[in-house]
Amino acid sequence: MTQASRTQLTVLMNILLWGIVSIFVLFIEETWQQKREAKAAELERQKDFIQAENHLNVITSFISRIANEYNGTCSRNLILDMRKGLFGIPGSIEFAVVHTEGGQGVISCNSWGEKGSVKVSKPEAHSDFLMVGPHTMNALAMPVYAIKKTTDDIEYHILIKKSSVDLFFLNHPSIVFSIESGVVGEKYKKSNVISNLSYLMPALVSSKIHINPYVIPILLIWFFLVYFFITPKLVRRIDKLLLKYKIGSHYYYNEYQPIFDTRDGSVFSIEVFLRSEDDDNARDTIEKMKRLDLSIDHTIFQISQIERSFSTTFLEQHDFQVNISSRHLESAFFIDHILNLKGLTCSSLILEVTEDENLMLHKQTIKKHMNILKEKGCRFAIDDFGMEYSGLSYISEFDFDIVKTDKIFMSKTNQNTAILKSIIAFCNELNIDCIAEGIETQDNNEQTNHIGIYLHQGWYHGRPMNSEKIMAFTAQN
């Protein structure tokens, strides 16, 4: 995956992850809000219902009291008592006593002082109290409710303006009274005052978007976690899977460059190089493999490619130099794999280690693993010697068989010549082979031979090539 692809994937995943969780958090918040509003609405319903019952209690208590006091005579005191009682009932119009006469109802007494003149519906017995309406009174030309109680053939009722009832109940459409034809809506709670009073209060959904103040900091914290912790790990994981897939599907392949011995014109060894189908920069790819902990996977792939590409005879006759890092030498898995090679044996393998500060950080484990492999015939080379860190300390600490000088020393200066002379001097003293990299011209070849370094690697002697060409090249030398 290129850096541009990584950046695009990172941005996409940041947006995706943050967006998904943000929607989830907002959904949860909306759910909590609805529950809070439903609970608040429930409390409001209970409050309204209690108010309604208290109001009806006042009315029904008044009706019951008048019914108990009425003895069939519409006295002035009774009329005054009716009027006085109505003052405490909002929207009340009239209190009346109705009896049956001639098969129909006649008002025998009312709070207006009239009696025996107004004919109404015949009283019909019913249990408890009954609230009916709204009806339109011709005399008032307004809708009214009637709350009544019937004992034997006498009815006691109060007429109340519908507008006053609506006002009392805050003009709330969810408060519905039953009428004789049935109950409108869904019964919520049955009144203990009036047997067929139903109370309907549906859940209210707020049209306003309410965001809990805790949601914003939660989303900011989530964004921080996604941006700095979750997304980098996911992108790394995806990058690793893609690279591992490329390794397994032969997207990368081996090329081989001869290392020439100028003393007798033979091939000293063959170095194995990383190549890819789309000419990726090998150094960048190697660094990515190290960063994603896949360098061991690729080295094992390279070795398996060597075993498949050459005959057993060719493998026995030539040595192969494979680049590794300190991480390889720390890995017991890698060591076990090298010890169990089938075609390429340890005696034909040169493991080329780049100068690395981790060599010293984990030197006990690395020295132990190097000794195990050297006992089986493996040799070790230190690459780019003298370029980084303390090369001499590595030579003293680890048992290297070969030193490879960096091609930068091929630049013809007195300083570089002096460095190469000092390197070959201590190599000869320690009986270590020295390979000079970067032999590109005849002048480089002659200069290096003159210094005393006879193992050469570079385009002057041979470029990296595929397995068929390297076999042909070695057959001629």
Side-chain angles (χ1 to χ4, degrees), residues 192-460:
N192 294 322
V193 179
I194 297 180
S195 60
N196 62 341
L197 170 67
S198 293
Y199 188 77
L200 181 65
M201 185 74 77
L204 301 177
V205 179
S206 174
S207 60
K208 295 181 180 180
I209 298 176
H210 171 75
I211 298 180
N212 191 301
Y214 293 107
V215 169
I216 294 176
I218 288 173
L219 292 180
L220 289 176
I221 292 172
W222 172 245
F223 176 79
F224 178 84
L225 292 175
V226 167
Y227 189 84
F228 291 102
F229 295 98
I230 299 176
T231 300
K233 289 184 178 180
L234 287 176
V235 172
R236 174 187 169 87
R237 180 63 179 167
I238 293 172
D239 205 5
K240 185 173 182 176
L241 288 174
L242 290 175
L243 188 56
K244 194 168 185 177
Y245 172 77
K246 285 183 176 182
I247 292 171
S249 60
H250 294 195
Y251 177 84
Y252 299 105
Y253 60 91
N254 291 346
E255 280 196 346
Y256 307 91
Q257 185 177 30
I259 297 174
F260 209 67
D261 189 338
T262 58
R263 289 170 293 193
D264 58 10
S266 63
V267 175
F268 172 78
S269 62
I270 300 169
E271 182 163 3
V272 184
F273 284 98
L274 170 72
R275 293 291 183 267
S276 65
E277 294 293 341
D278 59 0
D279 296 325
D280 277 351
N281 185 287
R283 186 176 293 276
D284 291 343
T285 301
I286 291 170
E287 288 303 316
K288 181 188 289 188
M289 288 179 179
K290 290 180 180 178
R291 187 177 69 249
L292 298 176
D293 298 326
L294 287 174
S295 52
I296 293 176
D297 297 68
H298 182 259
T299 301
I300 291 174
F301 170 77
Q302 278 190 306
I303 292 173
S304 67
Q305 285 290 93
I306 296 171
E307 292 179 315
R308 283 197 294 265
S309 299
F310 301 103
S311 65
T312 303
T313 302
F314 189 87
L315 294 175
E316 291 173 351
Q317 295 175 347
H318 297 88
D319 298 329
F320 291 86
Q321 293 186 203
V322 178
N323 288 278
I324 64 171
S325 66
S326 59
R327 192 168 300 174
H328 290 73
L329 295 175
E330 295 170 36
S331 169
F333 168 76
F334 177 73
I335 302 304
D336 289 340
H337 181 83
I338 298 300
L339 292 175
N340 292 292
L341 290 175
K342 303 300 181 183
L344 185 66
T345 62
C346 282
S347 58
S348 297
L349 193 60
I350 300 172
L351 297 176
E352 190 173 309
V353 186
T354 304
E355 290 187 47
D356 185 345
E357 60 184 355
N358 287 328
L359 285 169
M360 300 301 286
L361 292 176
H362 306 282
K363 66 179 181 180
Q364 297 304 324
T365 300
I366 290 173
K367 288 169 74 171
K368 174 185 173 183
H369 287 164
M370 284 179 69
N371 290 334
I372 291 173
L373 294 180
K374 286 178 75 69
E375 288 176 0
K376 297 296 183 179
C378 251
R379 285 175 289 170
F380 289 88
I382 183 167
D383 194 18
D384 298 334
F385 182 76
M387 289 300 297
E388 299 179 28
Y389 310 114
S390 300
L392 292 175
S393 65
Y394 295 139
I395 296 296
S396 65
E397 283 284 352
F398 303 99
D399 189 11
F400 285 106
D401 304 282
I402 301 169
V403 165
K404 290 184 69 176
T405 63
D406 192 86
K407 61 183 178 181
I408 194 173
F409 296 121
M410 288 299 102
S411 176
K412 193 172 183 180
T413 65
N414 292 335
Q415 185 178 12
N416 286 339
T417 300
I419 292 173
L420 290 175
K421 285 181 178 180
S422 63
I423 291 175
I424 191 59
F426 83 74
C427 284
N428 289 336
E429 183 70 24
L430 297 174
N431 196 27
I432 296 175
D433 289 319
C434 181
I435 299 174
E437 288 188 287
I439 309 299
E440 313 293 343
T441 64
Q442 184 175 353
D443 187 48
N444 293 150
N445 182 65
E446 293 174 354
Q447 173 195 353
T448 310
N449 280 331
H450 180 73
I451 292 172
I453 302 176
Y454 303 107
L455 299 178
H456 296 182
Q457 181 178 358
W459 286 8
Y460 178 75

Side-chain angles (χ1 to χ4, degrees), residues 91-95 110-112 114 118 135-146 157-164:
S92 60
I93 299 172
E94 175 196 58
F95 184 92
N110 68 15
S111 56
W112 292 351
E114 298 177 358
V118 180
H135 302 300
T136 300
M137 293 183 62
N138 293 332
L140 299 176
M142 68 173 66
V144 296
Y145 283 107
H157 72 235
I158 291 178
L159 297 181
I160 303 176
K161 296 178 183 178
K162 179 181 182 299
S163 59
S164 296

Side-chain angles (χ1 to χ4, degrees), residues 125-175:
H126 58 79
S127 61
D128 301 320
F129 292 84
L130 182 66
M131 184 170 185
V132 296
H135 302 300
T136 300
M137 293 183 62
N138 293 332
L140 299 176
M142 68 173 66
V144 296
Y145 283 107
I147 300 177
K148 53 189 176 181
K149 178 179 182 180
T150 303
T151 58
D152 298 328
D153 59 347
I154 300 177
E155 176 186 291
Y156 306 88
H157 72 235
I158 291 178
L159 297 181
I160 303 176
K161 296 178 183 178
K162 179 181 182 299
S163 59
S164 296
V165 173
D166 291 342
L167 182 64
F168 177 79
F169 292 119
L170 303 178
N171 198 26
H172 206 300
S174 60
I175 297 178

Side-chain angles (χ1 to χ4, degrees), residues 98-106 119-125 148 150 153 155:
V98 180
H99 68 277
T100 302
E101 184 178 299
Q104 65 181 28
V106 178
K119 299 184 186 307
V120 295
S121 299
K122 177 184 176 183
E124 294 183 4
K148 53 189 176 181
T150 303
D153 59 347
E155 176 186 291

